[in-house]
Amino acid sequence: MTKPLQVMKFGGTSVGDATCIARAAQIVASTAKGMRVVVVVSAMSGVTNRLIDSAKRAGEGDTQSGSALVEALRQQHRTALAALVSDETDRTAVERQLEAIFAEGKRLYDGTAMLRELTPRTLDVISSLGERLCAPIFAGALRQLGAKSRSIEATELIVTDSYHGGAEPRADETRKKSSELIGPLLGAGETPVVTGFIGATHDGKLTTLGRGGSDYSATKLTTLGRGGSDYSATILAAALDADEIIIWTDVEGVLTADPRLVPEARTIPEISYREAAELAYFGAKVLHPKTLRPVLPAGIPVWIRNSFSPEKLGTKITQKGKSIGGGVKALTAIRDVALISLGGPGIVGVPDVIGRTFTTTAELRADVLLISQSSSQNDICFLVSKPHAHATVDALRKEFAQDLAHEVVDHITVDPNVAIVAVVGENMRGTPGVAGRTFNALGQEKVNLIAIAQGSSETNISFVVDDKSMQPALRVLHREFGLGHSPAN
Ligand code: ADP
Ligand code: ASP
Ligand code: MG
């Protein structure tokens, strides 16, 4: 009988330095004694941000920043490798792999600085370097512990469409490639270590989500978006028919709120796919928003666990979650958003204002996070992520130029100092009073509400506040719904 298959993903802090990698490798090696394991790794903590930051500088003509970063990364990764792999032959082989990646990074930065142009394609390739440096070191650490292991670049496994910075996987092709490459390795008792975050298109033709098209074909690399290694893990798990996924991170599971904002937040032992997806969508950084999509059809359970306290069970995410008899399970917030309002007394009589507004946002591929319309119908407001705000307002001003001239529309404004707070719980459906308690508690705390929305699924109530009120709102609601005390299950 074949052993069960587990996909384990380790996030940036879980592979942050040699000590963390050793701890993570220990977890893998002991699991691999009784199961087949595929490992997915992120870049070492902070590396992706630094890579992107230097890429932007290079795009502005800075010839130093990229080289300096490559040198710093060389030090950092070689130090980790030296601490983890004592066998000289093995270490030299991994060093050679790393050197090829540093050389590639240097060329990319130099080229970008020389041209003073950072294309989305180049940005994706630069962004991928962190994962590609980390995977060979992790595999070396596993070999050091006596496991059979090798690193694999996910460009060999995950086939995506060609949207840079937010590519979507193609399930059938990914299944074929992954099982052909990974299947035999697992059969031979190996534990492959796969780079998270990246994939490759089928034919090398690339375009970028939200930044216009490009059809470079020199490289086939695409990325799955920020925090995308979570998504890589579930894509691979679905492709390989895994039995379970464990996302190892730096907190003990999905908590009732972001612990940095609400210190009394607690771990939720079990939560449904839908609730977890809602939390991720509304900003809970612990999961990439698309993470759960690939595992829904097969119902593969996903665990979120703390690699720094592996003895704790963490959170289990399943189809059904666990009923708490009605009520709120968790809170979340998104800060990086802007509120756009469009209105004027004249829009009551114009039937297509809403249609034109959202056709405009769709053309820009701006993600609309929340929509609200006042009952007198003379104001529509909606939220987009901050980077999209200016382009959205400009496009709306163009679209409604005539209406503005004739004062049918009297304002199109943007407010960047806002946040969305969401109250999430599957069993809020049919539980009267959650909205009442929410808004009462906020009123008592004197939190001013700018807009409110409730999804028709009734899995969340979300509202907009000015960004200074976000933390007080989270704290008062956490208290109001007793999330820090009663078992949050
Ligand atoms: P990784 O590097 O492992 O991918 P991330 O930093 O992406 O980890 O995500 C983990 C972080 O998510 C936690 O350290 C925590 O601060 C934050 N977070 C936000 N909301 C939540 C929540 N509801 N539950 C748990 N963690 C959360
Ligand atoms: N390294 C990538 C990021 O920082 C992907 C990930 O960590 O999941 O977004
Ligand atoms: Mg993450």
Side-chain angles (χ1 to χ4, degrees):
M1 209 183 75
T2 49
K3 293 178 181 167
L5 173 60
Q6 223 173 54
V7 173
M8 288 192 167
K9 176 255 170 177
F10 291 89
T13 36
S14 300
V15 291
D17 58 23
T19 314
C20 295
I21 296 177
R23 192 182 297 117
Q26 196 65 56
I27 293 173
V28 174
S30 56
T31 311
K33 288 191 182 129
M35 290 193 198
R36 296 174 300 153
V37 181
V38 173
V39 178
V40 174
V41 287
S42 290
M44 292 172 85
S45 155
V47 167
T48 311
N49 286 347
R50 286 154 73 199
L51 287 165
I52 293 173
D53 189 50
S54 287
K56 294 198 168 138
R57 285 169 204 264
E60 287 155 11
D62 180 336
T63 52
Q64 300 303 314
S65 171
S67 311
L69 178 62
V70 169
E71 200 38 52
L73 293 179
R74 179 179 276 122
Q75 294 299 331
Q76 181 182 354
H77 288 81
R78 287 182 74 122
T79 305
L81 178 66
L84 287 162
V85 179
S86 57
D87 180 275
E88 207 179 315
T89 318
D90 196 1
R91 198 174 58 235
T92 310
V94 177
E95 266 166 14
R96 218 173 293 127
Q97 258 178 297
L98 301 186
E99 277 312 315
I101 300 169
F102 294 129
E104 183 182 338
K106 173 98 172 65
R107 280 197 305 276
L108 286 161
Y109 280 123
D110 288 348
T112 302
M114 191 164 76
L115 295 170
R116 291 175 173 265
E117 187 191 16
L118 177 62
T119 63
R121 173 188 68 106
T122 306
L123 181 59
D124 267 358
V125 186
I126 291 178
S127 312
S128 78
L129 298 174
E131 270 72 11
R132 293 167 58 204
L133 290 167
C134 185
I137 299 176
F138 198 109
L142 280 175
R143 290 192 296 272
Q144 175 81 24
L145 296 174
K148 268 169 89 179
S149 179
R150 76 177 72 183
S151 61
I152 298 180
E153 302 210 343
T155 43
E156 304 294 319
L157 306 174
I158 297 180
V159 183
T160 72
D161 68 17
S162 50
Y163 286 117
H164 275 298
E168 280 298 329
R170 302 239 189 267
D172 292 343
E173 288 168 85
T174 301
R175 171 176 281 272
K176 185 165 181 298
K177 284 194 123 178
S178 302
S179 51
E180 278 174 9
L181 195 73
I182 301 273
L185 298 180
L186 292 173
E190 278 208 47
T191 300
V193 179
V194 181
T195 54
F197 185 47
I198 61 177
T201 60
H202 176 69
D203 62 355
K205 268 207 162 188
L206 301 184
T207 52
T208 303
L209 181 63
R211 294 196 214 150
S214 70
D215 67 353
Y216 289 91
S217 55
T219 170
K220 297 179 178 169
L221 195 69
T222 56
T223 63
L224 299 163
R226 210 180 171 126
S229 299
D230 300 332
Y231 197 22
S232 310
T234 52
I235 292 167
L236 281 177
L240 296 167
D241 296 320
D243 297 281
E244 234 172 24
I245 297 154
I246 304 191
I247 294 185
W248 292 98
T249 182
D250 60 354
V251 282
E252 273 148 41
V254 178
L255 307 191
T256 50
D258 186 338
R260 288 167 303 184
L261 299 169
V262 183
E264 57 277 21
R266 298 165 41 102
T267 300
I268 305 171
E270 196 168 331
I271 189 169
S272 71
Y273 288 141
R274 185 198 276 265
E275 289 166 331
E278 203 88 44
L279 285 172
Y281 178 75
F282 280 108
K285 194 189 164 208
V286 66
L287 277 183
H288 182 280
K290 292 176 186 164
T291 308
L292 298 168
R293 282 188 200 170
V295 296
L296 289 177
I300 307 172
V302 180
W303 290 86
I304 313 290
R305 298 182 60 181
N306 189 344
S307 69
F308 298 83
S309 316
E311 71 291 351
K312 303 249 172 67
L313 270 182
T315 298
K316 187 177 188 185
I317 311 177
T318 58
Q319 190 69 50
K320 284 221 167 90
K322 195 168 164 197
S323 171
I324 49 166
V328 175
K329 224 164 196 178
L331 309 172
T332 182
I334 319 186
R335 252 177 292 201
D336 211 14
V337 290
L339 176 84
I340 296 177
S341 311
L342 178 149
I347 72 167
V348 183
V350 185
D352 62 350
V353 171
I354 294 186
R356 283 160 65 200
T357 303
F358 294 112
T359 304
T360 306
T361 57
E363 274 164 10
L364 293 172
R365 287 185 180 268
D367 216 1
V368 177
L369 297 157
L370 183 149
I371 303 170
S372 167
Q373 185 185 9
S374 71
S375 59
S376 61
Q377 287 189 15
N378 55 24
D379 203 59
I380 302 166
C381 67
F382 60 93
L383 283 102
V384 294
S385 61
K386 244 182 219 170
H388 283 123
H390 271 296
T392 305
V393 168
D394 286 350
L396 286 172
R397 291 204 172 121
K398 256 191 216 126
E399 170 64 33
F400 289 98
Q402 291 285 336
D403 309 80
L404 284 163
H406 296 114
E407 289 171 20
V408 176
V409 171
D410 71 3
H411 68 268
I412 297 177
T413 54
V414 57
D415 180 353
N417 302 313
V418 294
I420 303 178
V421 175
V423 176
V424 173
E426 187 131 40
N427 290 305
M428 278 162 39
R429 199 174 331 176
T431 308
V434 174
R437 278 174 75 187
T438 302
F439 299 125
N440 240 329
L442 292 170
Q444 274 167 16
E445 192 71 15
K446 306 223 173 342
V447 171
N448 185 33
L449 292 170
I450 300 171
I452 301 173
Q454 178 171 16
S456 57
S457 68
E458 292 184 45
T459 308
N460 85 74
I461 298 171
S462 44
F463 53 89
V464 183
V465 293
D466 73 58
D467 51 11
K468 281 192 220 70
S469 303
M470 180 189 75
Q471 192 167 15
L474 287 169
R475 288 197 167 165
V476 68
L477 293 177
H478 204 264
R479 256 199 321 275
E480 172 64 29
F481 292 106
L483 297 177
H485 308 298
S486 58
N489 50 12

